């Protein structure tokens, strides 16, 4: 294959991968992007990238994708599907991509993980050395497979002495996706926002361009073979976030906060029904509700010191940009 691409972006048709691809192109690079045959490509600069079509479940396509590149930004991850689809794409797919990258002589592999991998712990500020959630199977297939792919990426790095950097972003927001209101919430036709959780629960938010900046910095620096970084702009109280959103939207938002234990009772009933029918675990479990409503703040000292990373934008400005994008594009973007 004749190619000028030195970097590969998986998941380039997605929110984060799309922003990363645009930034690499703006820097004058011609990245190679790995997207599925049916992936949306309307916003991708197709004349300035090299496209390899394939699926994370296709080992041959992954080998083709990594051939000749020195840096892999692995942003792809399945967000919906059956248990098999989640495990085949997010866990086995990551394993196969790592093996293909190592065989192809890739010099650094950036794995996009999530702060969702951490356990409940007692700490108010979570550092990278905090352990994984001990009950991943109770967190839903997405988080479960993000935990397993984070774990296996670091294990592969250590066993194979292969340079892997794991970035753990918080909740990513920004132009290109729906405005974020709360982890668990329902909008009653714009009249009221039912929020499950407390107004003082802290949410770890990160602007999409802050994550792109961390990826680019980590791709440039000589780092230890297996480095892990939290990437969070800051923690904001859920109640304050709703107020900021209302300001950005110039609308009144009336939140109604439901204590998590109310929803926990419903989840418990669901768990009982599933147990009686021997159907495994329901998507909504008490543990999942408890974790989703937890107040979380993450320490980013490591990314600041070792990468020289800083948040790209203030929260009010980020929310404003997101809302502007959303009002202009929501009609044209049925999938977001
Ligand atoms: N968004 C957040 O708040 C957040 C927070 C923490 C971490 N993350 C992580 O950040 C990364 C990017 O997330 P995002 O928000 O950009 O998600 P997204 O918009 O849903 O993008 C996911 C990307 O993965 C691709 N993909 C999914 N399954 C695939 C498969 N089997 N084979 C090949 N490609 C596949 C999708 O392709 P299609 O376009 O074809 O569907 C899409 O390009 C993920 O690893 C996610 O876990 C996200």
């Amino acid at each position: 294959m004749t190619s000028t691409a030195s970097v590969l972006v998986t998941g380039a048709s997605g929110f984060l991968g799309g922003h990363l691809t645009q930034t690499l192109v703006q820097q004058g690079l011609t990245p190679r992007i790995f997207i599925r045959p049916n992936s949306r490509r309307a916003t991708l600069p197709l004349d300035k990238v090299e496209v390899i079509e394939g699926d994370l479940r296709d080992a041959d396509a992954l080998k083709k994708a990594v051939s000749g590149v020195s840096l892999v930004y692995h942003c792809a991850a399945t967000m919906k599907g059956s248990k098999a689809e989640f495990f085949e794409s997010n866990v086995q797919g990551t394993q196969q991509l790592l093996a293909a990258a190592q065989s192809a002589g890739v010099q650094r592999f950036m794995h996009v993980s999530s702060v969702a991998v951490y356990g409940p712990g007692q700490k108010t500020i979570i550092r990278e050395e905090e352990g994984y959630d001990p009950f991943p199977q109770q967190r839903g297939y997405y988080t479960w497979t993000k935990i397993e792919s984070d774990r296996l990426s670091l294990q592969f790095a250590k066993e194979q002495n292969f340079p892997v950097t794991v970035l753990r972003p918080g909740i990513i927001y920004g132009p290109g996706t729906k405005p974020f209101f709360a982890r668990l919430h329902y909008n009653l036709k714009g009249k009221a926002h039912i929020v499950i959780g407390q107004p003082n629960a802290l949410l770890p938010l990160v602007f999409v361009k802050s994550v792109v900046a961390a990826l680019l910095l980590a791709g440039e620096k000589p780092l230890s073979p297996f480095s892990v970084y939290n990437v969070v702009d800051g923690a904001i109280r859920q109640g304050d976030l709703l107020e900021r959103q209302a300001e950005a939207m110039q609308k009144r938002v009336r939140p109604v906060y439901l204590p998590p234990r109310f929803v926990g009772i419903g989840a418990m009933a669901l768990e009982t029904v599933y147990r009686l029918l021997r159907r495994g675990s329901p998507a909504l479990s008490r543990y999942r509700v408890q974790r989703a409503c937890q107040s979380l703040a993450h320490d980013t000292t490591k990314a600041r010191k070792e990468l020289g990373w800083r948040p790209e934008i203030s929260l009010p400005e980020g929310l404003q940009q997101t809302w502007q994008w959303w009002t202009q594009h929501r009609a044209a973007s049925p999938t977001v």
Side-chain angles (χ1 to χ4, degrees):
M1 184 194 326
T2 314
S3 165
T4 52
S6 60
V7 302
L8 170 72
V9 180
T10 70
S13 53
F15 173 42
L16 174 62
H19 275 274
L20 174 64
T21 302
Q22 292 285 1
T23 309
L24 291 167
V25 166
Q26 279 157 16
Q27 292 185 343
L29 295 176
T30 308
R32 183 180 297 165
I33 61 170
F34 184 71
I35 53 176
R36 295 192 273 197
N38 295 332
S39 293
R40 289 180 73 234
R41 38 193 98 193
T43 56
L44 283 167
L46 290 175
D47 53 334
K48 297 191 179 81
V49 298
E50 190 187 310
V51 178
I52 300 276
E53 284 187 353
D55 193 287
L56 287 172
R57 293 171 285 185
D58 177 352
D60 289 335
L62 294 176
K63 282 185 194 150
K64 215 168 133 191
V66 292
S67 165
V69 299
S70 54
L71 194 55
V72 172
Y73 295 105
H74 180 32
C75 302
T78 282
M79 307 282 167
K80 52 180 191 255
S82 63
K83 182 179 178 186
E85 283 167 316
F86 272 98
F87 273 85
E88 286 165 12
S89 301
N90 297 356
V91 185
Q92 279 103 289
T94 299
Q95 176 91 52
Q96 294 188 132
L97 185 61
L98 280 161
Q102 189 195 28
S103 302
V106 165
Q107 281 155 32
R108 182 159 291 278
F109 188 103
M110 317 287 302
H111 175 67
V112 180
S113 181
S114 164
V115 294
V117 302
Y118 294 117
Q122 297 305 316
K123 301 208 178 77
T124 41
I125 307 235
I126 299 166
R127 295 202 173 81
E128 288 82 353
E129 57 270 20
E130 182 74 19
Y132 291 114
D133 193 318
F135 307 109
Q137 64 286 4
Q138 292 190 36
R139 297 283 302 276
Y141 299 140
Y142 169 71
T143 308
W144 185 359
T145 53
K146 290 306 284 183
I147 293 169
E148 298 310 333
S149 58
D150 182 302
R151 197 196 314 264
L152 82 83
S153 298
L154 290 173
Q155 201 174 328
F156 186 93
K158 285 177 190 157
E159 286 172 5
Q160 305 291 325
N161 198 25
F162 180 62
V164 174
T165 302
V166 172
L167 289 196
R168 295 180 181 153
I171 298 159
I172 309 176
Y173 79 101
T177 195
K178 277 183 194 166
F180 178 83
F181 286 92
R183 276 222 186 83
L184 296 174
H185 83 113
Y186 304 93
N187 186 357
L188 291 182
K189 294 189 178 157
K191 292 194 168 47
H193 279 275
I194 310 286
V195 180
I196 300 160
Q198 305 295 345
N200 58 357
L202 292 174
L203 296 170
L205 287 193
V206 59
F207 191 60
V208 63
K209 290 194 172 118
S210 295
V211 186
V212 169
L215 281 166
L216 295 178
L217 285 165
E220 286 162 10
K221 306 254 169 184
L223 302 172
S224 75
F226 23 88
S227 358
V228 184
Y229 298 99
N230 289 338
V231 185
V232 178
D233 285 348
I236 177 163
R237 288 175 67 252
Q238 191 153 259
D240 291 344
L241 175 66
L242 280 167
E243 275 176 30
R244 298 275 188 193
Q245 284 287 22
E247 279 166 26
M249 290 162 22
Q250 296 178 327
K251 275 188 182 172
R252 271 191 72 200
V253 172
R254 280 179 297 158
V256 177
Y257 293 96
L258 278 189
R261 63 174 184 281
F262 282 2
V263 186
I265 294 168
M268 187 166 73
L270 213 56
E271 282 175 77
T272 310
V273 172
Y274 268 61
R275 206 169 38 245
L276 290 173
L277 298 176
R278 294 173 203 267
R279 286 190 52 194
S281 308
L284 192 70
S285 66
R286 272 168 300 170
Y287 188 66
R288 216 172 155 192
V289 173
Q290 178 205 327
R291 289 304 317 272
C293 296
Q294 215 179 352
S295 187
L296 293 171
H298 299 82
D299 188 359
T300 54
T301 308
K302 200 164 169 241
R304 289 168 191 263
K305 275 194 180 156
E306 293 180 17
L307 304 179
W309 173 84
R310 297 281 177 278
E312 290 285 298
I313 199 168
S314 70
L315 185 74
E317 211 180 322
L319 294 178
Q320 189 61 48
Q321 283 192 20
T322 310
W323 183 250
Q324 260 168 16
W325 180 89
W326 177 244
T327 49
Q328 284 161 16
H329 293 84
R330 65 182 147 186
S333 304
T335 62
V336 290

